[in-house]
């Protein structure tokens, strides 16, 4: 019979490294769990932020544009000064200064009977108007925005049906050239009508495109009043389209 160290007693006792090892494992699991929670919260926040910056659908942006008349500063819609590089006859530069600004108005008082009739199918919410003069103070241009609650197909039906609009600050008999358009981005009619500042009475106002033709004759064409109306309307419409366009998603190039 031999004697030996009671090995079973030694093996039953915990190894010196086992307690710290368990603590290390627990700490690692907690750290991993915490990282997962933080990561999940971060991803959730990123998803919410991304959803908030998603562009509006085209139809929603179109409907929202109907309220631009009350949500946009007037100096944005009708800047105090408009610059028109190459906007005059023969590509001459033009500059227009705002000389009159009408309060936003109900459609009845602001529009002539033929315009009210044309807009009967679309409805009319509000009319905004401003009048500009050129650098020589020889011409006036009233530009207007007619806001409606209509959808895009109803607005498209207006194209080609509108007649010469009224001015603001000069009589209908003084109207020289006019233009009107219906942009695809907003339920709004953009129009402009020009006149001489000397108040002269003219025959029926001419479409601006006709007065802008190279072979066009008469005082209205020679004075560039077709160019004046078209250029002011185009710049106002460009601003409107920019304001109505849904914002691009953040992070896009």
């Amino acid at each position: 019979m031999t004697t030996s160290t009671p090995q079973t007693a030694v093996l039953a006792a915990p190894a010196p490294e086992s307690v710290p090892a368990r603590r290390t494992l627990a700490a690692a699991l907690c750290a991993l769990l915490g990282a997962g929670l933080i990561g999940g919260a971060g991803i959730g926040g990123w998803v919410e932020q991304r959803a908030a910056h998603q562009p509006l659908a085209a139809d929603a942006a179109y409907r929202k544009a109907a309220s631009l008349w009350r949500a946009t500063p007037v100096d944005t819609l009708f800047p105090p000064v408009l610059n028109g590089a190459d906007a005059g006859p023969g590509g001459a530069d033009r500059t227009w200064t705002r000389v009159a600004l009408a309060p936003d108005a109900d459609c009845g008082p602001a529009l002539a009977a033929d315009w009210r009739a044309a807009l009967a199918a679309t409805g009319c919410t509000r009319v905004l108007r401003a009048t500009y003069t050129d650098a020589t103070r020889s011409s006036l241009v009233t530009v207007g925005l007619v806001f409606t609650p209509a959808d895009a197909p109803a607005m498209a039906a207006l194209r080609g049906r509108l007649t010469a609009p009224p001015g603001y600050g000069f009589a209908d008999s003084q109207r020289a050239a006019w233009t009107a358009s219906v942009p695809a981005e907003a339920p709004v009619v953009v129009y402009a009508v020009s006149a001489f500042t000397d108040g002269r009475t003219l025959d029926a106002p001419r479409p601006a495109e006709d007065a802008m033709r190279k072979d066009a004759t008469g005082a209205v064409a020679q004075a560039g009043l077709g160019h004046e109306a078209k250029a002011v309307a185009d710049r106002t419409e460009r601003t409107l389209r920019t304001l109505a366009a849904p914002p691009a998603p953040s992070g896009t190039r």
Side-chain angles (χ1 to χ4, degrees):
M1 179 175 146
T2 59
T3 60
S4 63
T5 306
Q7 295 179 3
T8 54
V10 174
L11 291 175
E17 296 81 10
S18 60
V19 173
R22 288 173 185 163
R23 290 176 180 169
T24 302
L25 178 60
L29 289 173
C30 289
L32 182 61
L33 179 59
L37 292 174
I38 293 172
I43 291 172
W46 176 81
V47 170
E48 292 176 1
Q49 184 179 20
R50 183 175 176 84
H53 288 81
Q54 286 293 317
L56 293 173
D59 58 341
Y62 189 89
R63 291 193 300 271
K64 186 176 180 181
S67 63
L68 286 173
W69 67 270
R70 64 167 172 254
T72 308
V74 67
D75 285 349
T76 299
L77 290 171
F78 301 129
V81 176
L82 283 174
N83 293 313
D86 305 327
D93 294 340
R94 286 286 190 267
T95 300
W96 302 274
T97 302
R98 195 180 70 199
V99 293
L101 186 63
D104 59 275
D106 291 333
C107 303
L111 299 176
D114 54 352
W115 271 63
R116 294 197 300 270
L119 292 165
T122 64
C124 179
T125 306
R126 216 68 175 160
V127 181
L128 277 60
R129 295 159 293 167
T131 297
Y132 290 83
T133 188
D134 69 324
T136 66
R137 302 279 174 167
S138 62
S139 66
L140 296 170
V141 180
T142 290
V143 59
L145 297 171
V146 182
F147 287 81
T148 85
D151 58 17
M155 293 301 293
L158 286 174
R159 295 190 179 104
R161 295 181 51 212
L162 297 170
T163 56
Y168 178 68
F170 52 87
D172 287 351
S173 60
Q174 297 169 339
R175 294 176 297 178
W178 67 277
T179 186
S181 63
V182 182
E185 294 82 358
V188 181
V189 177
V190 183
Y191 72 82
V193 59
S194 60
F196 288 102
T197 55
D198 61 12
R200 73 184 73 175
T201 299
L202 301 165
D203 294 333
R206 304 173 62 178
E209 291 79 3
D210 290 350
M212 293 169 64
R213 293 201 318 259
K214 289 183 178 180
D215 60 348
T217 59
V220 171
Q222 292 173 359
L225 293 190
H227 291 78
E228 302 280 330
K230 189 70 167 63
V232 171
D234 285 351
R235 277 149 185 78
T236 305
E237 181 177 334
R238 190 182 307 160
T239 297
L240 180 72
R241 291 199 310 267
T242 300
L243 293 169
S250 60
T252 59
R253 297 181 178 179

